Amino acid sequence: TQQLLEELRGGRIVNLSSVMHHFAGTQAKNAEYWESMALYQDGANPGVYSASKLAAIHFTNELNRRYGKSHQIQSMAVNPGACSSDIWRAKPKWLTQLTGKIYLTTKQGSAPSVAAAVKPDWGDATYLQPLWLPTGPDRAAFPLCEILAPYVGYSAVQPRLPPKEQSEKIADDMWTTCEKLSGYSYP
């Protein structure tokens, strides 16, 4: 992102999140947490996938906070919904068949990503998902609603995150950890 920052002026960044961000756990999301997630050993921590999807939302918000105005960049996090895709390839056959019957198709799941990339103006929205949610755009939905609610294509909603000040601290800790591990310092 740093190497492309000047090229991204006036552009949009789309980060792929997931409903799984809800399941990243309740432990403190400080620099030590983010470093342990980034440096995991394969299979050692089953929470890494959920943490990475939570990180995509915090990264999106932090990009907007740091560069939204100064670089006219809009960053969006998208949740494709529960999709019947090859993410299930290592699961038992009965489960892959079940997901094919109740989950979204990959085409349906791609709708929020496409919308985030091409719709001219999203205003203050930063999180899209493909389902109708009973809470409306200003409140976070119960996680099950983000899995099995009716498909609408795409919808701007609030992700379920801690209060703003706490979320900003979490995002800043994550950002600092990324700088430390990558060796890049962002302006």
mmCIF file of all heavy atoms in Angstrom, residues 1-49:
data_model
loop_
_atom_site.group_PDB
_atom_site.id
_atom_site.type_symbol
_atom_site.label_atom_id
_atom_site.label_comp_id
_atom_site.label_asym_id
_atom_site.label_seq_id
_atom_site.Cartn_x
_atom_site.Cartn_y
_atom_site.Cartn_z
ATOM 1 N N THR A 1 0.826 -1.192 0.000
ATOM 2 C CA THR A 1 0.000 0.000 0.000
ATOM 3 C C THR A 1 0.869 1.254 0.000
ATOM 4 O O THR A 1 0.587 2.184 -0.735
ATOM 5 C CB THR A 1 -0.948 0.006 1.218
ATOM 6 O OG1 THR A 1 -1.706 -1.200 1.217
ATOM 7 C CG2 THR A 1 -1.887 1.187 1.181
ATOM 8 N N GLN A 2 1.932 1.246 0.816
ATOM 9 C CA GLN A 2 2.796 2.425 0.890
ATOM 10 C C GLN A 2 3.411 2.736 -0.473
ATOM 11 O O GLN A 2 3.463 3.884 -0.880
ATOM 12 C CB GLN A 2 3.906 2.222 1.916
ATOM 13 C CG GLN A 2 4.830 3.431 2.018
ATOM 14 C CD GLN A 2 6.085 3.140 2.803
ATOM 15 O OE1 GLN A 2 6.522 2.000 2.860
ATOM 16 N NE2 GLN A 2 6.663 4.154 3.396
ATOM 17 N N GLN A 3 3.860 1.697 -1.173
ATOM 18 C CA GLN A 3 4.511 1.914 -2.460
ATOM 19 C C GLN A 3 3.537 2.424 -3.520
ATOM 20 O O GLN A 3 3.946 3.043 -4.488
ATOM 21 C CB GLN A 3 5.186 0.625 -2.920
ATOM 22 C CG GLN A 3 6.337 0.246 -2.007
ATOM 23 C CD GLN A 3 6.916 -1.113 -2.330
ATOM 24 O OE1 GLN A 3 6.317 -1.918 -3.022
ATOM 25 N NE2 GLN A 3 8.088 -1.381 -1.792
ATOM 26 N N LEU A 4 2.246 2.192 -3.327
ATOM 27 C CA LEU A 4 1.241 2.642 -4.286
ATOM 28 C C LEU A 4 0.495 3.895 -3.831
ATOM 29 O O LEU A 4 -0.372 4.383 -4.552
ATOM 30 C CB LEU A 4 0.216 1.527 -4.528
ATOM 31 C CG LEU A 4 0.728 0.271 -5.205
ATOM 32 C CD1 LEU A 4 -0.354 -0.803 -5.204
ATOM 33 C CD2 LEU A 4 1.175 0.576 -6.621
ATOM 34 N N LEU A 5 0.815 4.415 -2.671
ATOM 35 C CA LEU A 5 0.031 5.484 -2.072
ATOM 36 C C LEU A 5 -0.180 6.675 -3.008
ATOM 37 O O LEU A 5 -1.307 7.153 -3.163
ATOM 38 C CB LEU A 5 0.685 5.935 -0.771
ATOM 39 C CG LEU A 5 -0.181 6.697 0.196
ATOM 40 C CD1 LEU A 5 -1.451 5.942 0.535
ATOM 41 C CD2 LEU A 5 0.597 6.990 1.474
ATOM 42 N N GLU A 6 0.865 7.150 -3.642
ATOM 43 C CA GLU A 6 0.707 8.301 -4.549
ATOM 44 C C GLU A 6 -0.127 7.943 -5.780
ATOM 45 O O GLU A 6 -0.904 8.748 -6.262
ATOM 46 C CB GLU A 6 2.070 8.864 -4.952
ATOM 47 C CG GLU A 6 2.799 9.551 -3.811
ATOM 48 C CD GLU A 6 1.966 10.658 -3.147
ATOM 49 O OE1 GLU A 6 1.335 11.474 -3.856
ATOM 50 O OE2 GLU A 6 1.943 10.693 -1.901
ATOM 51 N N GLU A 7 0.032 6.712 -6.272
ATOM 52 C CA GLU A 7 -0.749 6.270 -7.440
ATOM 53 C C GLU A 7 -2.233 6.099 -7.108
ATOM 54 O O GLU A 7 -3.072 6.127 -7.989
ATOM 55 C CB GLU A 7 -0.192 4.952 -7.981
ATOM 56 C CG GLU A 7 1.243 5.011 -8.441
ATOM 57 C CD GLU A 7 1.461 5.993 -9.584
ATOM 58 O OE1 GLU A 7 0.583 6.083 -10.469
ATOM 59 O OE2 GLU A 7 2.496 6.683 -9.579
ATOM 60 N N LEU A 8 -2.531 5.890 -5.836
ATOM 61 C CA LEU A 8 -3.909 5.662 -5.409
ATOM 62 C C LEU A 8 -4.686 6.948 -5.158
ATOM 63 O O LEU A 8 -5.880 6.894 -4.862
ATOM 64 C CB LEU A 8 -3.926 4.808 -4.135
ATOM 65 C CG LEU A 8 -3.501 3.365 -4.316
ATOM 66 C CD1 LEU A 8 -3.295 2.693 -2.964
ATOM 67 C CD2 LEU A 8 -4.530 2.607 -5.127
ATOM 68 N N ARG A 9 -4.060 8.102 -5.282
ATOM 69 C CA ARG A 9 -4.770 9.368 -5.063
ATOM 70 C C ARG A 9 -6.056 9.390 -5.881
ATOM 71 O O ARG A 9 -6.045 9.142 -7.073
ATOM 72 C CB ARG A 9 -3.909 10.560 -5.450
ATOM 73 C CG ARG A 9 -2.929 10.946 -4.413
ATOM 74 C CD ARG A 9 -2.255 12.273 -4.755
ATOM 75 N NE ARG A 9 -1.247 12.571 -3.777
ATOM 76 C CZ ARG A 9 -1.496 13.197 -2.633
ATOM 77 N NH1 ARG A 9 -2.709 13.616 -2.367
ATOM 78 N NH2 ARG A 9 -0.527 13.422 -1.771
ATOM 79 N N GLY A 10 -7.139 9.700 -5.183
ATOM 80 C CA GLY A 10 -8.431 9.769 -5.860
ATOM 81 C C GLY A 10 -9.035 8.411 -6.156
ATOM 82 O O GLY A 10 -10.069 8.321 -6.819
ATOM 83 N N GLY A 11 -8.429 7.355 -5.676
ATOM 84 C CA GLY A 11 -8.892 6.000 -5.990
ATOM 85 C C GLY A 11 -9.590 5.325 -4.830
ATOM 86 O O GLY A 11 -9.922 5.939 -3.816
ATOM 87 N N ARG A 12 -9.793 4.052 -5.012
ATOM 88 C CA ARG A 12 -10.490 3.254 -4.005
ATOM 89 C C ARG A 12 -9.719 1.963 -3.765
ATOM 90 O O ARG A 12 -9.178 1.364 -4.685
ATOM 91 C CB ARG A 12 -11.890 2.922 -4.509
ATOM 92 C CG ARG A 12 -12.698 2.202 -3.453
ATOM 93 C CD ARG A 12 -14.167 2.178 -3.753
ATOM 94 N NE ARG A 12 -14.710 3.507 -3.894
ATOM 95 C CZ ARG A 12 -15.761 3.796 -4.650
ATOM 96 N NH1 ARG A 12 -16.372 2.861 -5.323
ATOM 97 N NH2 ARG A 12 -16.206 5.024 -4.741
ATOM 98 N N ILE A 13 -9.701 1.541 -2.513
ATOM 99 C CA ILE A 13 -9.080 0.286 -2.110
ATOM 100 C C ILE A 13 -10.190 -0.608 -1.570
ATOM 101 O O ILE A 13 -10.978 -0.180 -0.722
ATOM 102 C CB ILE A 13 -8.007 0.511 -1.024
ATOM 103 C CG1 ILE A 13 -6.894 1.417 -1.568
ATOM 104 C CG2 ILE A 13 -7.451 -0.817 -0.522
ATOM 105 C CD1 ILE A 13 -5.952 1.938 -0.506
ATOM 106 N N VAL A 14 -10.259 -1.846 -2.054
ATOM 107 C CA VAL A 14 -11.268 -2.795 -1.595
ATOM 108 C C VAL A 14 -10.560 -3.949 -0.896
ATOM 109 O O VAL A 14 -9.715 -4.616 -1.487
ATOM 110 C CB VAL A 14 -12.123 -3.325 -2.776
ATOM 111 C CG1 VAL A 14 -13.149 -4.332 -2.285
ATOM 112 C CG2 VAL A 14 -12.796 -2.170 -3.508
ATOM 113 N N ASN A 15 -10.892 -4.151 0.379
ATOM 114 C CA ASN A 15 -10.303 -5.218 1.192
ATOM 115 C C ASN A 15 -11.350 -6.290 1.453
ATOM 116 O O ASN A 15 -12.485 -5.974 1.811
ATOM 117 C CB ASN A 15 -9.809 -4.651 2.529
ATOM 118 C CG ASN A 15 -8.680 -3.671 2.339
ATOM 119 O OD1 ASN A 15 -7.678 -3.990 1.740
ATOM 120 N ND2 ASN A 15 -8.860 -2.464 2.839
ATOM 121 N N LEU A 16 -10.972 -7.534 1.282
ATOM 122 C CA LEU A 16 -11.901 -8.638 1.472
ATOM 123 C C LEU A 16 -11.932 -9.063 2.939
ATOM 124 O O LEU A 16 -10.937 -9.517 3.490
ATOM 125 C CB LEU A 16 -11.520 -9.825 0.595
ATOM 126 C CG LEU A 16 -12.542 -10.944 0.511
ATOM 127 C CD1 LEU A 16 -13.863 -10.438 -0.059
ATOM 128 C CD2 LEU A 16 -12.003 -12.075 -0.336
ATOM 129 N N SER A 17 -13.081 -8.897 3.557
ATOM 130 C CA SER A 17 -13.290 -9.323 4.928
ATOM 131 C C SER A 17 -14.194 -10.548 4.898
ATOM 132 O O SER A 17 -14.220 -11.280 3.909
ATOM 133 C CB SER A 17 -13.913 -8.182 5.750
ATOM 134 O OG SER A 17 -13.993 -8.567 7.107
ATOM 135 N N SER A 18 -14.932 -10.773 5.947
ATOM 136 C CA SER A 18 -15.819 -11.930 6.035
ATOM 137 C C SER A 18 -16.691 -11.797 7.267
ATOM 138 O O SER A 18 -16.336 -11.089 8.216
ATOM 139 C CB SER A 18 -14.983 -13.211 6.139
ATOM 140 O OG SER A 18 -15.772 -14.314 6.522
ATOM 141 N N VAL A 19 -17.798 -12.503 7.252
ATOM 142 C CA VAL A 19 -18.617 -12.602 8.456
ATOM 143 C C VAL A 19 -17.789 -13.210 9.590
ATOM 144 O O VAL A 19 -18.065 -12.989 10.764
ATOM 145 C CB VAL A 19 -19.902 -13.413 8.189
ATOM 146 C CG1 VAL A 19 -19.579 -14.870 7.906
ATOM 147 C CG2 VAL A 19 -20.882 -13.302 9.342
ATOM 148 N N MET A 20 -16.742 -13.926 9.249
ATOM 149 C CA MET A 20 -15.894 -14.560 10.260
ATOM 150 C C MET A 20 -15.174 -13.553 11.148
ATOM 151 O O MET A 20 -14.646 -13.927 12.193
ATOM 152 C CB MET A 20 -14.891 -15.501 9.592
ATOM 153 C CG MET A 20 -15.533 -16.722 8.959
ATOM 154 S SD MET A 20 -16.453 -17.743 10.133
ATOM 155 C CE MET A 20 -15.106 -18.356 11.140
ATOM 156 N N HIS A 21 -15.171 -12.282 10.767
ATOM 157 C CA HIS A 21 -14.538 -11.291 11.647
ATOM 158 C C HIS A 21 -15.221 -11.261 13.014
ATOM 159 O O HIS A 21 -14.599 -10.914 14.004
ATOM 160 C CB HIS A 21 -14.534 -9.901 11.008
ATOM 161 C CG HIS A 21 -15.799 -9.122 11.163
ATOM 162 N ND1 HIS A 21 -16.838 -9.221 10.263
ATOM 163 C CD2 HIS A 21 -16.197 -8.256 12.118
ATOM 164 C CE1 HIS A 21 -17.822 -8.425 10.661
ATOM 165 N NE2 HIS A 21 -17.464 -7.827 11.783
ATOM 166 N N HIS A 22 -16.491 -11.664 13.049
ATOM 167 C CA HIS A 22 -17.227 -11.700 14.320
ATOM 168 C C HIS A 22 -16.619 -12.718 15.293
ATOM 169 O O HIS A 22 -16.845 -12.623 16.493
ATOM 170 C CB HIS A 22 -18.689 -12.106 14.086
ATOM 171 C CG HIS A 22 -19.490 -11.104 13.346
ATOM 172 N ND1 HIS A 22 -19.912 -9.925 13.901
ATOM 173 C CD2 HIS A 22 -19.974 -11.109 12.080
ATOM 174 C CE1 HIS A 22 -20.624 -9.242 13.019
ATOM 175 N NE2 HIS A 22 -20.673 -9.939 11.907
ATOM 176 N N PHE A 23 -15.891 -13.676 14.787
ATOM 177 C CA PHE A 23 -15.413 -14.792 15.599
ATOM 178 C C PHE A 23 -13.919 -14.704 15.913
ATOM 179 O O PHE A 23 -13.280 -15.705 16.192
ATOM 180 C CB PHE A 23 -15.755 -16.115 14.906
ATOM 181 C CG PHE A 23 -17.218 -16.209 14.572
ATOM 182 C CD1 PHE A 23 -17.664 -15.997 13.275
ATOM 183 C CD2 PHE A 23 -18.149 -16.463 15.571
ATOM 184 C CE1 PHE A 23 -19.016 -16.062 12.974
ATOM 185 C CE2 PHE A 23 -19.502 -16.519 15.275
ATOM 186 C CZ PHE A 23 -19.943 -16.315 13.978
ATOM 187 N N ALA A 24 -13.376 -13.499 15.865
ATOM 188 C CA ALA A 24 -11.951 -13.309 16.145
ATOM 189 C C ALA A 24 -11.640 -13.391 17.632
ATOM 190 O O ALA A 24 -10.482 -13.284 18.024
ATOM 191 C CB ALA A 24 -11.459 -11.984 15.576
ATOM 192 N N GLY A 25 -12.632 -13.576 18.441
ATOM 193 C CA GLY A 25 -12.407 -13.731 19.871
ATOM 194 C C GLY A 25 -12.515 -12.421 20.626
ATOM 195 O O GLY A 25 -12.586 -11.350 20.036
ATOM 196 N N THR A 26 -12.509 -12.528 21.921
ATOM 197 C CA THR A 26 -12.680 -11.352 22.767
ATOM 198 C C THR A 26 -11.392 -10.928 23.446
ATOM 199 O O THR A 26 -11.398 -9.978 24.216
ATOM 200 C CB THR A 26 -13.759 -11.629 23.846
ATOM 201 O OG1 THR A 26 -13.355 -12.775 24.594
ATOM 202 C CG2 THR A 26 -15.116 -11.861 23.218
ATOM 203 N N GLN A 27 -10.295 -11.626 23.174
ATOM 204 C CA GLN A 27 -9.035 -11.256 23.810
ATOM 205 C C GLN A 27 -8.611 -9.862 23.341
ATOM 206 O O GLN A 27 -9.056 -9.376 22.317
ATOM 207 C CB GLN A 27 -7.927 -12.287 23.540
ATOM 208 C CG GLN A 27 -7.477 -12.393 22.097
ATOM 209 C CD GLN A 27 -8.281 -13.387 21.285
ATOM 210 O OE1 GLN A 27 -9.481 -13.489 21.411
ATOM 211 N NE2 GLN A 27 -7.617 -14.103 20.420
ATOM 212 N N ALA A 28 -7.732 -9.243 24.122
ATOM 213 C CA ALA A 28 -7.283 -7.894 23.810
ATOM 214 C C ALA A 28 -6.648 -7.862 22.422
ATOM 215 O O ALA A 28 -5.836 -8.724 22.079
ATOM 216 C CB ALA A 28 -6.284 -7.427 24.857
ATOM 217 N N LYS A 29 -7.024 -6.884 21.643
ATOM 218 C CA LYS A 29 -6.468 -6.730 20.297
ATOM 219 C C LYS A 29 -5.392 -5.644 20.343
ATOM 220 O O LYS A 29 -5.573 -4.530 19.904
ATOM 221 C CB LYS A 29 -7.570 -6.344 19.302
ATOM 222 C CG LYS A 29 -8.769 -7.263 19.253
ATOM 223 C CD LYS A 29 -8.407 -8.636 18.733
ATOM 224 C CE LYS A 29 -9.613 -9.500 18.472
ATOM 225 N NZ LYS A 29 -10.269 -10.054 19.621
ATOM 226 N N ASN A 30 -4.263 -5.997 20.937
ATOM 227 C CA ASN A 30 -3.158 -5.060 21.045
ATOM 228 C C ASN A 30 -2.036 -5.493 20.104
ATOM 229 O O ASN A 30 -2.187 -6.445 19.336
ATOM 230 C CB ASN A 30 -2.680 -4.956 22.494
ATOM 231 C CG ASN A 30 -2.304 -6.323 23.055
ATOM 232 O OD1 ASN A 30 -1.938 -7.238 22.324
ATOM 233 N ND2 ASN A 30 -2.400 -6.466 24.370
ATOM 234 N N ALA A 31 -0.908 -4.804 20.178
ATOM 235 C CA ALA A 31 0.205 -5.113 19.275
ATOM 236 C C ALA A 31 0.662 -6.562 19.410
ATOM 237 O O ALA A 31 0.961 -7.217 18.403
ATOM 238 C CB ALA A 31 1.361 -4.153 19.527
ATOM 239 N N GLU A 32 0.694 -7.085 20.622
ATOM 240 C CA GLU A 32 1.125 -8.471 20.825
ATOM 241 C C GLU A 32 0.159 -9.449 20.151
ATOM 242 O O GLU A 32 0.574 -10.452 19.572
ATOM 243 C CB GLU A 32 1.240 -8.787 22.322
ATOM 244 C CG GLU A 32 2.367 -8.069 23.025
ATOM 245 C CD GLU A 32 2.050 -6.604 23.346
ATOM 246 O OE1 GLU A 32 0.849 -6.255 23.498
ATOM 247 O OE2 GLU A 32 2.990 -5.806 23.420
ATOM 248 N N TYR A 33 -1.132 -9.157 20.224
ATOM 249 C CA TYR A 33 -2.141 -10.003 19.567
ATOM 250 C C TYR A 33 -1.897 -10.025 18.060
ATOM 251 O O TYR A 33 -1.829 -11.094 17.446
ATOM 252 C CB TYR A 33 -3.548 -9.469 19.867
ATOM 253 C CG TYR A 33 -4.620 -10.125 19.025
ATOM 254 C CD1 TYR A 33 -5.168 -11.344 19.391
ATOM 255 C CD2 TYR A 33 -5.082 -9.520 17.861
ATOM 256 C CE1 TYR A 33 -6.146 -11.946 18.618
ATOM 257 C CE2 TYR A 33 -6.062 -10.111 17.088
ATOM 258 C CZ TYR A 33 -6.591 -11.325 17.472
ATOM 259 O OH TYR A 33 -7.557 -11.918 16.698
ATOM 260 N N TRP A 34 -1.761 -8.842 17.458
ATOM 261 C CA TRP A 34 -1.585 -8.785 15.999
ATOM 262 C C TRP A 34 -0.285 -9.466 15.574
ATOM 263 O O TRP A 34 -0.249 -10.146 14.548
ATOM 264 C CB TRP A 34 -1.648 -7.340 15.507
ATOM 265 C CG TRP A 34 -2.997 -6.741 15.674
ATOM 266 C CD1 TRP A 34 -3.339 -5.689 16.468
ATOM 267 C CD2 TRP A 34 -4.226 -7.184 15.066
ATOM 268 N NE1 TRP A 34 -4.689 -5.451 16.392
ATOM 269 C CE2 TRP A 34 -5.259 -6.348 15.528
ATOM 270 C CE3 TRP A 34 -4.552 -8.200 14.171
ATOM 271 C CZ2 TRP A 34 -6.586 -6.489 15.132
ATOM 272 C CZ3 TRP A 34 -5.875 -8.349 13.776
ATOM 273 C CH2 TRP A 34 -6.873 -7.508 14.253
ATOM 274 N N GLU A 35 0.764 -9.307 16.357
ATOM 275 C CA GLU A 35 2.027 -9.962 16.003
ATOM 276 C C GLU A 35 1.886 -11.483 16.090
ATOM 277 O O GLU A 35 2.371 -12.205 15.222
ATOM 278 C CB GLU A 35 3.155 -9.472 16.903
ATOM 279 C CG GLU A 35 4.500 -9.990 16.453
ATOM 280 C CD GLU A 35 5.679 -9.267 17.085
ATOM 281 O OE1 GLU A 35 5.498 -8.181 17.664
ATOM 282 O OE2 GLU A 35 6.795 -9.805 16.971
ATOM 283 N N SER A 36 1.198 -11.981 17.107
ATOM 284 C CA SER A 36 1.022 -13.433 17.218
ATOM 285 C C SER A 36 0.186 -13.974 16.065
ATOM 286 O O SER A 36 0.421 -15.081 15.584
ATOM 287 C CB SER A 36 0.390 -13.797 18.566
ATOM 288 O OG SER A 36 -0.981 -13.451 18.609
ATOM 289 N N MET A 37 -0.772 -13.211 15.585
ATOM 290 C CA MET A 37 -1.582 -13.651 14.447
ATOM 291 C C MET A 37 -0.755 -13.632 13.161
ATOM 292 O O MET A 37 -0.848 -14.529 12.331
ATOM 293 C CB MET A 37 -2.822 -12.767 14.267
ATOM 294 C CG MET A 37 -3.853 -12.882 15.367
ATOM 295 S SD MET A 37 -4.605 -14.530 15.472
ATOM 296 C CE MET A 37 -3.973 -15.090 17.034
ATOM 297 N N ALA A 38 0.077 -12.619 13.015
ATOM 298 C CA ALA A 38 0.886 -12.492 11.793
ATOM 299 C C ALA A 38 1.991 -13.539 11.722
ATOM 300 O O ALA A 38 2.380 -13.961 10.632
ATOM 301 C CB ALA A 38 1.491 -11.096 11.708
ATOM 302 N N LEU A 39 2.502 -13.967 12.857
ATOM 303 C CA LEU A 39 3.632 -14.893 12.883
ATOM 304 C C LEU A 39 3.233 -16.324 13.228
ATOM 305 O O LEU A 39 4.070 -17.116 13.625
ATOM 306 C CB LEU A 39 4.679 -14.395 13.892
ATOM 307 C CG LEU A 39 5.271 -13.023 13.605
ATOM 308 C CD1 LEU A 39 6.203 -12.601 14.731
ATOM 309 C CD2 LEU A 39 5.982 -13.017 12.260
ATOM 310 N N TYR A 40 1.979 -16.656 13.030
ATOM 311 C CA TYR A 40 1.498 -17.988 13.409
ATOM 312 C C TYR A 40 2.186 -19.085 12.592
ATOM 313 O O TYR A 40 2.671 -18.861 11.493
ATOM 314 C CB TYR A 40 -0.019 -18.081 13.222
ATOM 315 C CG TYR A 40 -0.444 -18.357 11.806
ATOM 316 C CD1 TYR A 40 -0.843 -19.633 11.430
ATOM 317 C CD2 TYR A 40 -0.433 -17.371 10.833
ATOM 318 C CE1 TYR A 40 -1.224 -19.918 10.139
ATOM 319 C CE2 TYR A 40 -0.812 -17.641 9.532
ATOM 320 C CZ TYR A 40 -1.212 -18.915 9.185
ATOM 321 O OH TYR A 40 -1.582 -19.192 7.905
ATOM 322 N N GLN A 41 2.197 -20.277 13.165
ATOM 323 C CA GLN A 41 2.660 -21.465 12.453
ATOM 324 C C GLN A 41 1.423 -22.163 11.890
ATOM 325 O O GLN A 41 0.409 -22.258 12.581
ATOM 326 C CB GLN A 41 3.409 -22.400 13.400
ATOM 327 C CG GLN A 41 4.661 -21.790 13.991
ATOM 328 C CD GLN A 41 5.706 -21.525 12.936
ATOM 329 O OE1 GLN A 41 5.948 -22.351 12.067
ATOM 330 N NE2 GLN A 41 6.325 -20.355 12.986
ATOM 331 N N ASP A 42 1.494 -22.649 10.671
ATOM 332 C CA ASP A 42 0.342 -23.271 10.022
ATOM 333 C C ASP A 42 -0.340 -24.280 10.950
ATOM 334 O O ASP A 42 0.301 -25.197 11.452
ATOM 335 C CB ASP A 42 0.771 -23.962 8.724
ATOM 336 C CG ASP A 42 -0.407 -24.368 7.880
ATOM 337 O OD1 ASP A 42 -1.472 -23.722 7.969
ATOM 338 O OD2 ASP A 42 -0.273 -25.346 7.119
ATOM 339 N N GLY A 43 -1.611 -24.059 11.186
ATOM 340 C CA GLY A 43 -2.393 -24.958 12.020
ATOM 341 C C GLY A 43 -2.273 -24.710 13.511
ATOM 342 O O GLY A 43 -2.997 -25.290 14.298
ATOM 343 N N ALA A 44 -1.352 -23.846 13.916
ATOM 344 C CA ALA A 44 -1.131 -23.627 15.342
ATOM 345 C C ALA A 44 -2.221 -22.790 15.996
ATOM 346 O O ALA A 44 -2.464 -22.914 17.180
ATOM 347 C CB ALA A 44 0.228 -22.962 15.568
ATOM 348 N N ASN A 45 -2.870 -21.924 15.237
ATOM 349 C CA ASN A 45 -3.893 -21.058 15.812
ATOM 350 C C ASN A 45 -5.092 -20.998 14.870
ATOM 351 O O ASN A 45 -5.048 -20.305 13.856
ATOM 352 C CB ASN A 45 -3.328 -19.666 16.056
ATOM 353 C CG ASN A 45 -4.293 -18.790 16.824
ATOM 354 O OD1 ASN A 45 -5.500 -19.016 16.810
ATOM 355 N ND2 ASN A 45 -3.757 -17.799 17.491
ATOM 356 N N PRO A 46 -6.165 -21.686 15.212
ATOM 357 C CA PRO A 46 -7.331 -21.697 14.340
ATOM 358 C C PRO A 46 -8.022 -20.338 14.235
ATOM 359 O O PRO A 46 -8.842 -20.131 13.352
ATOM 360 C CB PRO A 46 -8.253 -22.737 14.990
ATOM 361 C CG PRO A 46 -7.819 -22.812 16.406
ATOM 362 C CD PRO A 46 -6.353 -22.494 16.415
ATOM 363 N N GLY A 47 -7.682 -19.383 15.086
ATOM 364 C CA GLY A 47 -8.305 -18.062 15.041
ATOM 365 C C GLY A 47 -7.675 -17.104 14.047
ATOM 366 O O GLY A 47 -8.128 -15.972 13.903
ATOM 367 N N VAL A 48 -6.645 -17.548 13.338
ATOM 368 C CA VAL A 48 -5.930 -16.656 12.426
ATOM 369 C C VAL A 48 -6.830 -16.180 11.280
ATOM 370 O O VAL A 48 -6.792 -15.004 10.918
ATOM 371 C CB VAL A 48 -4.652 -17.332 11.879
ATOM 372 C CG1 VAL A 48 -4.028 -16.533 10.756
ATOM 373 C CG2 VAL A 48 -3.656 -17.521 13.012
ATOM 374 N N TYR A 49 -7.644 -17.066 10.711
ATOM 375 C CA TYR A 49 -8.515 -16.655 9.608
ATOM 376 C C TYR A 49 -9.463 -15.551 10.067
ATOM 377 O O TYR A 49 -9.583 -14.507 9.413
ATOM 378 C CB TYR A 49 -9.309 -17.843 9.051
ATOM 379 C CG TYR A 49 -10.203 -17.456 7.898
ATOM 380 C CD1 TYR A 49 -9.680 -17.301 6.621
ATOM 381 C CD2 TYR A 49 -11.556 -17.220 8.091
ATOM 382 C CE1 TYR A 49 -10.496 -16.916 5.567
ATOM 383 C CE2 TYR A 49 -12.381 -16.844 7.047
ATOM 384 C CZ TYR A 49 -11.843 -16.699 5.786
ATOM 385 O OH TYR A 49 -12.647 -16.310 4.746
#
